Amino acid sequence: MIYLGVKWTLSGFAKVTIGAGEATKGMLAAAVKSPVKGPSGDAVYPWFNDMINSILPHAQGMSVLIS
């Protein structure tokens, strides 16, 4: 149990210090590029895409929050 806690802490620390901002930015950009579409071909959750577009410039900060 302690081993898993140490591994989890070290990987989280590496994400914060090294930075996973590019990975987060890529994930958010892919979500905006191909949104969930309904049977009619329209985006099912347009509010979600708007939210992601507003978060995208702050990908580095989101990476720290996620870590």
Side-chain angles (χ1 to χ4, degrees), residues 32-63:
V32 169
K33 186 177 180 182
S34 59
V36 176
K37 296 183 180 179
S40 63
D42 297 333
V44 179
Y45 307 108
W47 60 268
F48 187 71
N49 289 339
D50 294 338
M51 180 185 69
I52 290 177
N53 276 328
S54 67
I55 291 173
L56 199 54
H58 310 289
Q60 185 66 32
M62 287 300 295
S63 171

Side-chain angles (χ1 to χ4, degrees), residues 7-31:
K7 292 296 280 182
W8 181 75
T9 303
L10 291 176
S11 66
F13 183 71
K15 288 178 189 174
V16 172
T17 56
I18 295 171
E22 291 301 317
T24 305
K25 190 174 186 178
M27 180 192 67
L28 293 174

